[in-house]
């Protein structure tokens, strides 16, 4: 769950929530990543590159590089996630019903996933360049109980959705379905899949919901730092086949991320910038 810090810097604890300050993360910006050795740098910017050597020669690698922006385009996208006096990244509001959601005109993206999939940790990493955004990540799964709205200047809004599954709020369906079905400025839904667990029944229900409402969505594999390469590669290939054979509105390339190591964060920022209309790519995409 995310909130904006409203207390003095020295006060670092409220109730049971640990407060995580993002100022000092050494990999928050691409400029620090570019100082790393080539192999490590490529693995952080383009996580699939670390799996290439384990692929069978019969597998078409281009299927996993459909969205492959240049380093310069990754840098441009990063500026969108960097706050300034004229570009404020801020918590806006929370809502439990459609009648409570803010009326906003800018493009919107939302993040969904099972409880404990690492959703808030991922959003924390995406916003790590914005020191005024205080991100609270609970150790207890299912702590996000509302739709939490974050405005990124006038560029777009990011919505943190309650987690689904056994820890979901009782009114999860009544809260989420109307939003997904009626939100006119929603341009992309990011559906998170635990890299260690793979697609679960609850995830399939979420996919069906996106399909039923004809929503463009994308699968994001989280916690790849905790997943063995062999298992991760098997999951990526499974997701490729699942997307190709069982979905019609899903982006064909799954994204791989680690909120701990920052792998894939820069690529995901760039994809968000692109789908919200804030970054026109000059690099030819496959």
């Amino acid at each position: 769950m995310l909130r904006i810090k409203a207390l003095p810097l020295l006060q670092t604890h409220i109730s049971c929530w640990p407060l995580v300050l993002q100022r000092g993360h050494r990999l928050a910006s691409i400029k620090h990543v570019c100082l790393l050795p080539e192999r490590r740098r490529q693995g952080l910017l383009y996580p699939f590159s670390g799996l290439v050597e384990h692929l069978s020669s019969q597998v078409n690698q281009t299927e996993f590089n459909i969205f492959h922006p240049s380093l310069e385009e990754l840098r441009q996208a990063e500026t969108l996630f960097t706050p300034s006096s004229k570009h404020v990244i801020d918590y806006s509001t929370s809502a439990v019903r459609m009648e409570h959601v803010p009326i906003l005109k800018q493009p919107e993206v939302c993040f969904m996933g099972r409880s404990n999939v690492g959703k808030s940790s991922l959003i924390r990493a995406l916003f790590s360049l914005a020191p005024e955004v205080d991100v609270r990540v609970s150790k207890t799964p299912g702590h996000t109980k509302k739709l939490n709205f974050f405005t990124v200047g006038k560029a777009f809004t990011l919505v943190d959705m309650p987690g689904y599954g056994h820890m979901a709020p009782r009114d999860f369906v009544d809260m989420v379905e109307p939003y997904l079905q009626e939100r006119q400025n929603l341009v992309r839904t990011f559906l998170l899949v635990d890299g260690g667990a793979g697609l679960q029944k609850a995830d399939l229900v979420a996919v069906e919901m996106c399909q039923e409402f004809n929503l463009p969505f994308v699968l994001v594999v989280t916690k790849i730092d905790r997943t063995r390469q062999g298992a991760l590669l098997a999951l990526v290939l499974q997701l490729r086949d699942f997307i190709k054979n069982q979905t019609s509105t899903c982006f064909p390339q799954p994204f791989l991320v680690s909120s701990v190591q920052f792998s894939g964060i820069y690529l995901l920022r760039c994809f968000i910038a692109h789908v919200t209309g804030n970054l026109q790519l000059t690099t030819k995409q496959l």
Side-chain angles (χ1 to χ4, degrees), residues 231-251:
L232 181 59
L233 180 58
L235 174 59
V236 168
L237 294 174
Q238 176 195 3
L239 292 179
R240 176 203 59 179
D241 294 339
F242 174 78
I243 293 171
K244 184 184 299 184
N245 300 323
Q246 300 187 48
T247 71
S248 59
T249 62
C250 185
F251 189 72

Side-chain angles (χ1 to χ4, degrees), residues 23-274:
R23 298 177 192 272
H25 200 293
R26 62 188 180 88
L27 295 178
S29 175
I30 288 179
K31 65 181 180 181
H32 300 299
V33 178
C34 289
L35 300 176
L36 298 173
E38 172 68 16
R39 186 180 178 89
R40 176 85 189 283
R41 179 170 71 247
Q42 285 295 110
L44 291 173
L45 298 179
Y46 308 103
F48 184 74
S49 64
L51 300 177
V52 169
E53 61 188 74
H54 304 290
L55 275 179
S56 164
S57 59
Q58 298 178 344
V59 176
N60 183 3
Q61 297 181 20
T62 60
E63 294 179 314
F64 304 100
N65 291 298
I66 295 170
F67 184 77
H68 194 79
S70 67
L71 180 59
E72 179 56 33
E73 287 164 340
L74 293 177
R75 286 195 180 104
Q76 291 175 27
E78 184 174 285
T79 64
L80 195 65
F81 289 83
T82 305
S84 68
S85 59
K86 296 182 179 180
H87 181 71
V88 179
I89 300 175
D90 224 350
Y91 165 74
S92 174
T93 189
S94 297
V96 294
R97 292 289 185 272
M98 272 303 290
E99 54 265 31
H100 302 149
V101 302
I103 300 175
L104 300 169
K105 294 182 179 180
Q106 61 261 39
E108 202 158 273
V109 297
C110 71
F111 281 67
M112 294 179 61
R114 288 189 304 114
S115 299
N116 204 34
V117 74
K119 178 168 50 64
S120 292
S121 294
L122 174 56
I123 296 174
R124 177 186 68 188
L126 290 170
F127 283 152
S128 59
L129 292 166
E132 73 277 12
V133 177
D134 179 28
V135 182
R136 305 173 188 179
V137 180
S138 175
K139 294 182 179 180
T140 305
H143 215 102
T144 303
K145 301 296 185 183
K146 302 177 181 179
L147 307 176
N148 298 310
F149 292 76
F150 293 82
T151 52
V152 180
K154 297 180 180 179
F156 70 92
T157 304
L158 186 149
V159 184
D160 181 15
M161 310 279 276
Y164 53 75
H166 70 286
M167 296 297 293
R170 293 181 180 179
D171 55 352
F172 176 84
V173 174
D174 294 335
M175 189 188 316
V176 170
E177 273 200 6
Y179 169 82
L180 293 176
Q181 191 171 16
E182 301 173 20
R183 194 63 166 172
Q184 295 298 312
N185 58 331
L186 179 63
V187 297
R188 194 76 53 154
T189 296
F190 291 80
L191 184 57
L192 277 52
V193 177
D194 191 316
L199 278 172
Q200 302 293 300
K201 289 183 179 179
D203 298 320
L204 297 177
V205 173
V207 168
E208 289 179 6
M209 190 183 303
C210 291
Q211 294 277 115
E212 180 183 351
F213 299 149
N214 199 33
L215 297 174
F217 67 102
V218 58
L219 297 181
V220 180
V221 180
T222 63
K223 304 180 183 180
I224 64 171
D225 56 292
R226 300 185 185 180
T227 310
R228 291 182 297 104
Q229 281 198 327
L232 181 59
L233 180 58
L235 174 59
V236 168
L237 294 174
Q238 176 195 3
L239 292 179
R240 176 203 59 179
D241 294 339
F242 174 78
I243 293 171
K244 184 184 299 184
N245 300 323
Q246 300 187 48
T247 71
S248 59
T249 62
C250 185
F251 189 72
Q253 173 187 330
F255 286 78
L256 309 178
V257 297
S258 166
S259 302
V260 175
Q261 297 179 347
F262 266 57
S263 302
I265 297 301
Y266 322 95
L267 188 64
L268 193 58
R269 283 175 182 161
C270 193
F271 187 73
I272 293 172
H274 180 57

